[in-house]
Amino acid sequence: MKLDSKIFDGIRVKPDKERAAQDRHPVCDYPGCQRPGQHRAPKGRDREGQYYNFCVDHVREYNKSYNYFVGMGDDDVRTYQKDSLTGHRPTWKMGVNKQAADGPDGFDARSSMRGNAQRRAEQVRRPRQRKLLTLEKRSLDVLNLPYTARGDDIKARYKELVKLNHPDANGGDRSSEDRLREIIQAYNVLKKAGFL
């Protein structure tokens, strides 16, 4: 029986953590270090996707001295930083790329939108009227007025109908009292609703 086998070592009560880490991770890439390389570090600017495997001490040392821009001139660094603002995608100033603005067929889609916006601005704006409630419509019908009637029209029509249907104007005839009551109620509804 081998006492230093992996299987026998794995069933111990307290397994050796360093040895288990060495088995799971490659050896540290730092020259002369035999510890497990558990931490990845990028190799550099022109080697994206490639990494070194370092132990904790050596990855800290590597990170302190790491510089992505090593070997680049000052102008190249500034250009790279400026391009990184747009994700390294091509950009241009407003109005410079006329071909892209007009579209592939040469038609400027925004010209029709500008024309529509100008036409709408030139139109006379009517104030937007709120939707009438059923009681308000019924009240305007009692007064024999259109639904667009407001203020002075309602007052004038109210006075006219009261004079016609008042019992004193009819020689004391009480047959038009119900009609007069409807007219007064309709006027009060419209007054409370803010038509006057």
Side-chain angles (χ1 to χ4, degrees), residues 23-87:
D23 290 343
R24 273 186 270 136
H25 301 288
V27 178
C28 179
D29 287 335
Y30 196 81
C33 182
Q34 295 300 315
R35 293 171 55 193
Q38 298 174 334
H39 305 282
R40 292 175 18 165
K43 287 192 174 182
R45 183 177 62 250
D46 294 327
R47 296 188 289 179
E48 278 81 9
Q50 298 176 9
Y51 299 94
Y52 293 115
N53 293 309
F54 288 128
C55 61
V56 175
D57 297 331
H58 292 127
V59 82
R60 285 182 185 147
E61 184 180 326
Y62 180 79
N63 285 342
K64 286 179 185 176
S65 65
Y66 181 75
N67 185 358
Y68 184 81
F69 300 108
V70 165
M72 290 177 74
D74 291 341
D75 293 336
D76 295 334
V77 171
R78 271 189 238 108
T79 303
Y80 182 88
Q81 289 174 336
K82 184 179 176 188
D83 288 344
S84 69
L85 294 174
T86 59

Side-chain angles (χ1 to χ4, degrees), residues 23-192:
D23 290 343
R24 273 186 270 136
H25 301 288
V27 178
C28 179
D29 287 335
Y30 196 81
C33 182
Q34 295 300 315
R35 293 171 55 193
Q38 298 174 334
H39 305 282
R40 292 175 18 165
K43 287 192 174 182
R45 183 177 62 250
D46 294 327
R47 296 188 289 179
E48 278 81 9
Q50 298 176 9
Y51 299 94
Y52 293 115
N53 293 309
F54 288 128
C55 61
V56 175
D57 297 331
H58 292 127
V59 82
R60 285 182 185 147
E61 184 180 326
Y62 180 79
N63 285 342
K64 286 179 185 176
S65 65
Y66 181 75
N67 185 358
Y68 184 81
F69 300 108
V70 165
M72 290 177 74
D74 291 341
D75 293 336
D76 295 334
V77 171
R78 271 189 238 108
T79 303
Y80 182 88
Q81 289 174 336
K82 184 179 176 188
D83 288 344
S84 69
L85 294 174
T86 59
H88 302 286
R89 293 184 301 268
T91 59
W92 45 86
K93 293 182 180 175
M94 294 290 289
V96 173
N97 193 358
K98 182 112 174 89
Q99 182 181 1
D102 289 347
D105 56 357
F107 175 72
D108 185 8
R110 292 173 288 182
S111 65
S112 62
M113 288 187 275
R114 282 188 218 107
N116 290 341
Q118 192 168 359
R119 251 191 318 281
R120 282 193 302 268
E122 290 171 357
Q123 288 178 350
V124 177
R125 297 263 179 192
R126 289 182 288 140
R128 191 169 166 201
Q129 296 181 358
R130 70 177 179 89
K131 189 174 180 182
L132 295 177
L133 301 175
T134 307
L135 193 56
E136 296 166 353
K137 286 181 183 179
R138 192 176 303 139
S139 299
L140 288 169
D141 288 339
V142 167
L143 298 175
N144 294 327
L145 288 170
Y147 294 148
T148 58
R150 298 288 182 268
D152 294 335
D153 297 334
I154 295 173
K155 284 182 186 178
R157 185 66 162 172
Y158 171 72
K159 288 180 184 179
E160 179 185 335
L161 291 175
V162 166
K163 286 180 185 176
L164 284 174
N165 294 300
H166 199 276
D168 292 342
N170 293 325
D173 184 19
R174 292 187 168 261
S175 62
S176 61
E177 261 185 34
D178 291 333
R179 173 80 175 129
L180 179 64
R181 199 172 294 119
E182 284 180 2
I183 293 168
I184 293 171
Q185 284 178 341
Y187 180 77
N188 288 333
V189 165
L190 294 174
K191 190 174 181 180
K192 285 181 182 177

Side-chain angles (χ1 to χ4, degrees), residues 3-20:
L3 295 177
D4 61 344
S5 73
K6 291 181 182 180
I7 298 169
F8 185 73
D9 195 31
I11 60 173
R12 287 187 178 170
V13 176
K14 286 188 174 180
D16 187 12
K17 290 182 183 178
E18 265 189 52
R19 187 167 176 193

